[in-house]
Amino acid sequence: METIHLSLLMILCFGVDRSFTQILQRRKRNWIIDSFPFDEGYKGPFPLKLGKVEVVANSSFQLKIQGQGVDEEPKNILQIDESTGEITINGPVDHERFKVLMLKFQAFDKLSSSVETNLGIEVRILDSNDNPPRFDQDMYQITIDESTEQGTDLITIKATDVDSSPKHNKFDLRIVSVYPTPHDLEFYLTLLSDGQIGTISFKGCLDCEKAEKYSIIVEAKDRDTLVQLSSSCTVIINIKDRNNHIPVITHQTGEGRVKELQENVLVTRLQVTDKDTEGTEAWKAKYQIQGDTNNNFNITTDAVTNEGLLYVVKHLDYEQGHLKNLTVTVENEIPYYLCKVISRTNSRLWEVTVTSGTMSDKAPSLSTYHMTVIVEDVNEPPIFNQPNKKVQLKENIGAGYWLEKFTAKDPDVNQKIPLTYIKGHDPANLITVDHNTGDITLSKTIDRESHFVKDNFYVVTIYAVDNGEPQMTGTATLSIHIIDENDNAPFLNESTIDICQSNGSTWANITAKDLDEHPYGGPFNFRLLGDVEGKWKVDPAQGYTVKLVKEETVYSGYHEVSLEVSDLQDKTAVHTLTVMVCSCSDTARPNCRFRKSTALKAGVGAGALGIVFLGLLLFAGILLLAFLISCKKRGVEMPDSSAEQKLMKSNTEGVGSDCKLANDPSHQRYRETAEQIHVSTGSSQAKMWTRPTATVSIANDISGYGMSQTDVQSRNHQQQLGYNSAVGGSFTRRDFTRWSMGALSTTRTKHERRNSLCQNLMGHRQYSHEENNLFYHRLECQIKKKLSLLQATEEELDEYAPHVYAEEGDTEDSSELDAISISDISFNADFSQDLASRFNTVASNCMPSESTTACSKNNFL
């Protein structure tokens, strides 16, 4: 350890009265700088004393250090004894990071707290062999082709030692191991001049079948004499297979048959084997066809199976040969390659032989495969000698004109079948085809101006059809060029024009057209006919569009002008031109018809609006009327409780107790209807009928039925056949039968028929469903009881058929009347006065001991 002594120069005193302390306050002392070494390889123990800073001073000074190792990186490594000035280190320091630690040394005056000196101290970090050489990468990887020549630099590797001392940063590179063990192959490492970079190469031949990759361990070791440090890396070399095995075709799938005329169909598959790595370019097969002079075939490779797929791309003709002999060869996508070691040496590359490409003398020959494709015969379509023909003729030629003849033949040599000719596309139905000869003739007059003619051509198709299995068709095309003739007169583009009224002359454009082509068209000659002098004129007289000039003498309104138009060949047509003259706001754009139509629409619109309004009011009234008519309460229909289909019989005339309800308003209405009916007697007086009106009904079949449409003709007739009968009328069994049969034939619902019956008896007021049902039930009870008055026995009623006793207007009395069983009830003589004399016979047969009017009365009841 080196120590430098610092001497304090004593300052001369100026004057006898000055003290030593005053002299110190004026002058600072001088210090010397110390340098301390530290070996980075020291491993402890710590703290370690580096040295002592010696000063010539008294004990009033305090020593401190600051800088690297204290309050700067590396922090808290160094410290100093404030009294003695001894410096210690508390841990190792890396020379590769800090080669020197720079410190600032300070001495403080304890009395004045002032810095008396500010000098520097350094700690030198000595290098040691503490870092091994390291590679740039822990693993290197490369892929090379199997055909790579020996001696080629495969990969470059690099290592570095960060030690600064030359005796510690020198190192060597070497290959430690290779896995798997190479066969006919040796890897070696070549160092460059500085020794830190090396390249890996090989001697011999690479063979992917022996090893697809090699793992090489490379070591870097320094040259230190005491301790040698080292590291290693891994180099992986992948071998890409080269084509050192040729593919071989083994067999084919299927017989190799194909029908003639077929295209883009698979004929057969060729199987191949290859020992190279599957999926690589060295394994993928590439096929070629020999002997295919017409290029009918194509062969591709199946990417998955490596098979050859033979296709027919252009159809074959059985008549040209039914057997096709082909030769198929196969090779790989990359050329053939083979390397073989002859001899080995230690100092230089080995002796090897290389075979590359199939053209080499040492290369094996390509695999070939001979095959035969069988062509099967099929029915082929007829072939026209000339499938496309063109004819030319003038328009307006009539039907029957011969145009052309088509001839076709059947290519099948084994079939001699006659062909049939028919027409195909003929939108105008213009031609006729002879089915046997193929002659084409016109079926109607040809017109060039037809919309079926495009650019003066009319195109039709002709078919030739054989009779084979399946039936085949050949197609030909006939293009008819139609020459124009002057068969169309000029016509006006518009026959109605508008012209504005003005003080001077005004005009409008007239345009003429002609369907014929030049020279049968325009420009056209225009000439006005009739009395047009001073009124109308055409300017100019020739052209496609001319002006019709109106003189000022022409009044506003509707005019007709005769106009003669002729083409270049003087084909003339006379047209009537309608001219509307009116006042215009824009003379360049006359709008007479527009104004008229607008005014007409305005007038029509006002009238139509009124009609629509009235129609809406009428429709609203109809809806209101329909609502008022249909607005009635609806009830739920009550089911019939009776299960038997027969007539009920009662021997009492009055109302039964089972139908009587106390305090029932509907029952009261029934009583009022049945017992208090005002009947007209034909005079000004009226009397009250106090007895219940006789009513009839059928227990179940007609329970709830109203009157039929035949009987419902009037209100009076309803009352006569219903239950409010007039006194002068009569209700016989015949009437009852007619009424009941009509009721059974009605198509109305049960609810509607009940309401109808109730309305006939109670008036036309609307009642609720419950009221109607209750009233109807009470009424039916009374009807059942009154029915017994018209029945003899149940058996007679079941078998009863109405009997005609006399026809209306017949004056003879008939004594052949049916016997009627009737209760022994006396009759009212006064009542019989109103009965017709015809019923006297009936009454005498019914009750001989009584008056005839009594029988008639009881029958009615």
Side-chain angles (χ1 to χ4, degrees):
M1 184 179 295
E2 182 178 353
T3 303
I4 301 176
H5 297 278
L6 301 178
S7 300
L8 296 175
L9 300 177
M10 304 302 295
I11 303 174
L12 298 176
C13 296
F14 299 92
V16 294
D17 57 344
R18 296 182 178 177
S19 65
F20 178 73
T21 304
Q22 292 174 336
I23 295 174
L24 287 176
Q25 289 176 349
R26 284 191 212 101
R27 300 292 304 274
K28 295 181 179 180
R29 291 165 177 77
N30 296 323
W31 306 90
I32 61 174
I33 299 175
D34 281 349
S35 177
F36 303 98
F38 175 72
D39 189 354
E40 68 167 342
Y42 178 75
K43 305 299 182 182
F46 294 100
L48 174 66
K49 296 180 179 180
L50 298 180
K52 183 178 181 183
V53 179
E54 297 184 2
V55 296
V56 180
N58 55 29
S59 60
S60 61
F61 293 107
Q62 181 181 8
L63 306 179
K64 292 184 178 181
I65 58 175
Q66 59 182 3
Q68 290 180 309
V70 180
D71 53 1
E72 296 178 13
E73 292 295 336
K75 294 181 179 181
N76 302 323
I77 290 296
L78 300 174
Q79 65 182 17
I80 187 172
D81 190 313
E82 297 180 353
S83 300
T84 62
E86 187 173 36
I87 297 176
T88 58
I89 187 169
N90 298 321
V93 180
D94 189 2
H95 171 79
E96 283 67 39
R97 293 186 60 194
F98 306 99
K99 292 180 172 52
V100 177
L101 301 179
M102 301 301 298
L103 300 171
K104 184 186 294 184
F105 176 80
Q106 295 177 329
F108 290 87
D109 189 344
K110 295 180 180 180
L111 298 179
S112 61
S113 299
S114 61
V115 179
E116 295 298 327
T117 185
N118 194 358
L119 302 177
I121 298 176
E122 68 176 11
V123 177
R124 293 178 289 105
I125 309 301
L126 304 179
D127 186 27
S128 65
N129 189 19
D130 60 342
N131 293 287
R134 297 191 179 277
F135 291 93
D136 292 347
Q137 303 178 37
D138 293 335
M139 178 178 291
Y140 296 85
Q141 187 165 208
I142 188 176
T143 299
I144 61 174
D145 196 272
E146 185 183 24
S147 61
T148 303
E149 296 182 359
Q150 63 174 341
T152 303
D153 293 337
L154 304 180
I155 192 171
T156 300
I157 58 177
K158 181 180 179 180
T160 304
D161 195 328
V162 297
D163 291 330
S164 59
S165 174
K167 67 177 182 180
H168 300 316
N169 59 17
K170 298 295 182 181
F171 59 87
D172 297 318
L173 299 176
R174 70 185 184 95
I175 295 177
V176 177
S177 63
V178 178
Y179 180 83
T181 303
H183 177 74
D184 288 341
L185 177 68
E186 179 183 329
F187 292 97
Y188 62 92
L189 182 65
T190 302
L191 299 177
L192 300 182
S193 58
D194 57 0
Q196 295 184 346
I197 300 176
T199 59
I200 297 178
S201 303
F202 73 94
K203 300 177 182 180
C205 298
L206 297 172
D207 192 347
C208 182
E209 281 72 28
K210 295 178 180 178
E212 294 183 356
K213 71 175 181 179
Y214 291 94
S215 296
I216 303 174
I217 305 299
V218 180
E219 181 188 60
K221 181 184 291 185
D222 61 26
R223 301 173 183 174
D224 193 280
T225 56
L226 297 178
V227 177
Q228 288 184 329
L229 302 179
S230 65
S231 66
S232 63
C233 71
T234 301
V235 179
I236 297 177
I237 300 178
N238 297 299
I239 309 300
K240 184 179 179 181
D241 191 17
R242 188 68 175 175
N243 184 21
N244 46 23
H245 298 281
I246 62 172
V248 177
I249 300 175
T250 57
H251 61 282
Q252 73 178 66
T253 301
E255 293 182 303
R257 290 179 174 270
V258 63
K259 294 181 179 180
E260 65 172 336
L261 304 181
Q262 286 187 331
E263 293 182 351
N264 299 318
V265 294
L266 180 65
V267 179
T268 188
R269 302 174 72 99
L270 301 178
Q271 280 70 43
V272 67
T273 59
D274 196 320
K275 295 181 181 180
D276 291 313
T277 304
E278 184 175 347
T280 63
E281 294 178 344
W283 175 81
K284 295 179 180 179
K286 184 172 62 175
Y287 299 87
Q288 291 182 351
I289 302 175
Q290 298 176 1
D292 182 19
T293 56
N294 294 327
N295 298 322
N296 296 103
F297 299 93
N298 182 40
I299 189 167
T300 61
T301 303
D302 190 317
V304 177
T305 63
N306 214 25
E307 294 175 323
L309 309 179
L310 183 65
Y311 289 90
V312 173
V313 294
K314 186 166 66 174
H315 70 270
L316 298 169
D317 192 351
Y318 176 85
E319 286 70 29
Q320 295 180 359
H322 64 282
L323 297 177
K324 297 294 181 181
N325 296 316
L326 302 176
T327 300
V328 179
T329 60
V330 62
E331 58 183 346
N332 296 117
E333 293 184 357
I334 58 177
Y336 176 79
Y337 175 85
L338 182 62
C339 178
K340 185 176 182 180
V341 176
I342 303 301
S343 62
R344 305 181 184 185
T345 61
N346 296 327
S347 59
R348 55 186 178 84
L349 298 178
W350 298 350
E351 182 181 357
V352 297
T353 58
V354 175
T355 303
S356 180
T358 56
M359 300 303 296
S360 175
D361 296 337
K362 298 180 180 180
S365 59
L366 296 178
S367 175
T368 59
Y369 187 82
H370 301 282
M371 61 180 300
T372 300
V373 177
I374 302 173
V375 182
E376 298 178 352
D377 188 23
V378 297
N379 185 28
E380 300 178 68
I383 299 176
F384 283 91
N385 297 335
Q386 290 182 265
N388 297 293
K389 288 187 177 183
K390 178 181 177 182
V391 296
Q392 180 176 292
L393 71 160
K394 292 182 179 182
E395 66 173 330
N396 300 318
I397 295 180
Y401 182 81
W402 184 86
L403 296 176
E404 187 57 80
K405 180 177 182 179
F406 280 90
T407 304
K409 64 178 182 179
D410 194 335
D412 294 319
V413 297
N414 296 332
Q415 299 181 9
K416 298 299 181 180
I417 302 175
L419 303 179
T420 301
Y421 299 92
I422 60 175
K423 70 176 180 179
H425 180 71
D426 181 18
N429 196 23
L430 188 62
I431 66 168
T432 300
V433 179
D434 189 300
H435 299 307
N436 298 320
T437 63
D439 287 307
I440 313 297
T441 57
L442 289 177
S443 60
K444 62 174 64 174
T445 301
I446 190 167
D447 185 11
R448 190 196 68 86
E449 287 73 34
S450 171
H451 66 277
F452 295 108
V453 178
K454 307 297 182 183
D455 298 328
N456 298 330
F457 279 91
Y458 181 77
V459 180
V460 296
T461 56
I462 311 299
Y463 297 144
V465 184
D466 64 13
N467 197 24
E469 291 294 336
Q471 197 175 50
M472 303 300 291
T473 301
T475 305
T477 302
L478 176 63
S479 299
I480 305 174
H481 182 206
I482 306 173
I483 301 174
D484 190 22
E485 286 189 342
N486 192 18
D487 58 341
N488 292 282
F491 63 92
L492 297 180
N493 193 29
E494 292 185 6
S495 60
T496 302
I497 61 175
D498 296 339
I499 298 181
C500 293
Q501 183 65 275
S502 65
N503 295 331
S505 299
T506 55
W507 53 270
N509 287 331
I510 304 173
T511 301
K513 293 183 178 179
D514 196 327
L515 297 178
D516 296 324
E517 291 184 337
H518 185 78
Y520 306 116
F524 307 103
N525 294 317
F526 295 85
R527 186 168 67 93
L528 293 174
L529 305 178
D531 184 16
V532 295
E533 186 68 27
K535 299 178 182 178
W536 309 93
K537 65 178 180 179
V538 175
D539 183 30
Q542 188 179 45
Y544 292 95
T545 300
V546 297
K547 297 178 181 178
L548 177 63
V549 180
K550 180 193 73 67
E551 301 295 347
E552 57 181 284
T553 58
V554 178
Y555 57 88
S556 297
Y558 173 85
H559 302 272
E560 288 186 353
V561 179
S562 295
L563 180 63
E564 180 185 82
V565 185
S566 58
D567 59 19
L568 292 178
Q569 307 301 324
D570 292 331
K571 193 172 187 62
T572 304
V574 178
H575 303 279
T576 300
L577 187 63
T578 301
V579 184
M580 299 293 295
V581 180
C582 66
S583 299
C584 305
S585 57
D586 185 3
T587 57
R589 297 179 180 177
N591 56 356
C592 301
R593 284 169 292 171
F594 174 76
R595 291 175 56 190
K596 182 177 179 180
S597 63
T598 303
L600 181 61
K601 289 180 182 178
V604 174
L609 183 61
I611 294 174
V612 171
F613 181 72
L614 292 177
L616 290 176
L617 289 179
L618 180 61
F619 181 70
I622 293 174
L623 289 180
L624 180 60
L625 181 61
F627 176 76
L628 293 177
I629 293 176
S630 62
C631 183
K632 63 181 181 179
K633 296 183 180 179
R634 301 182 61 134
V636 180
E637 181 181 353
M638 298 181 65
D640 244 346
S641 61
S642 177
E644 298 183 5
Q645 303 293 321
K646 66 182 181 177
L647 297 175
M648 302 293 295
K649 181 175 72 173
S650 175
N651 293 326
T652 61
E653 181 181 6
V655 178
S657 61
D658 57 334
C659 296
K660 198 170 188 180
L661 292 177
N663 302 325
D664 184 25
S666 64
H667 179 68
Q668 182 65 23
R669 286 197 302 274
Y670 166 74
R671 297 295 301 171
E672 292 174 359
T673 304
E675 297 181 358
Q676 299 179 4
I677 300 177
H678 293 277
V679 183
S680 175
T681 60
S683 63
S684 60
Q685 296 180 351
K687 56 185 177 179
M688 179 71 66
W689 178 256
T690 58
R691 299 184 63 186
T693 303
T695 57
V696 293
S697 176
I698 298 178
N700 286 306
D701 291 336
I702 63 173
S703 177
Y705 283 74
M707 292 177 290
S708 66
Q709 295 180 357
T710 305
D711 297 323
V712 183
Q713 299 296 331
S714 65
R715 174 76 175 176
N716 294 332
H717 196 51
Q718 291 175 352
Q719 294 175 351
Q720 179 181 354
L721 297 181
Y723 310 118
N724 298 335
S725 301
V727 174
S730 62
F731 196 99
T732 65
R733 181 173 302 199
R734 181 188 304 171
D735 297 326
F736 167 74
T737 302
R738 185 172 68 251
W739 174 80
S740 62
M741 293 301 292
L744 286 172
S745 64
T746 184
T747 59
R748 293 178 295 177
T749 63
K750 187 174 183 180
H751 178 66
E752 291 174 345
R753 293 191 292 269
R754 286 191 176 188
N755 288 341
S756 176
L757 180 59
C758 294
Q759 289 176 6
N760 290 331
L761 298 177
M762 300 171 62
H764 286 278
R765 173 194 164 195
Q766 296 290 336
Y767 292 93
S768 67
H769 179 65
E770 291 75 9
E771 291 175 334
N772 286 336
N773 284 337
L774 187 58
F775 172 73
Y776 182 85
H777 180 68
R778 300 294 170 252
L779 180 60
E780 186 178 42
C781 291
Q782 297 301 323
I783 291 174
K784 291 177 181 179
K785 293 182 182 297
K786 299 302 180 182
L787 184 63
S788 61
L789 299 178
L790 301 178
Q791 295 174 332
T793 60
E794 288 188 10
E795 292 78 5
E796 291 178 347
L797 184 60
D798 291 339
E799 299 176 358
Y800 177 77
H803 180 74
V804 178
Y805 293 98
E807 297 294 338
E808 185 178 3
D810 189 1
T811 58
E812 293 185 0
D813 294 338
S814 177
S815 59
E816 296 178 3
L817 300 175
D818 292 343
I820 300 176
S821 177
I822 193 168
S823 302
D824 187 11
I825 300 174
S826 61
F827 65 93
N828 189 346
D830 297 333
F831 177 75
S832 64
Q833 296 176 2
D834 295 329
L835 298 178
S837 60
R838 188 176 297 277
F839 288 93
N840 292 331
T841 306
V842 178
S844 63
N845 291 332
C846 294
M847 300 179 64
S849 61
E850 300 291 340
S851 174
T852 59
T853 56
C855 184
S856 177
K857 169 195 169 192
N858 285 329
N859 272 289
F860 174 76
L861 295 174

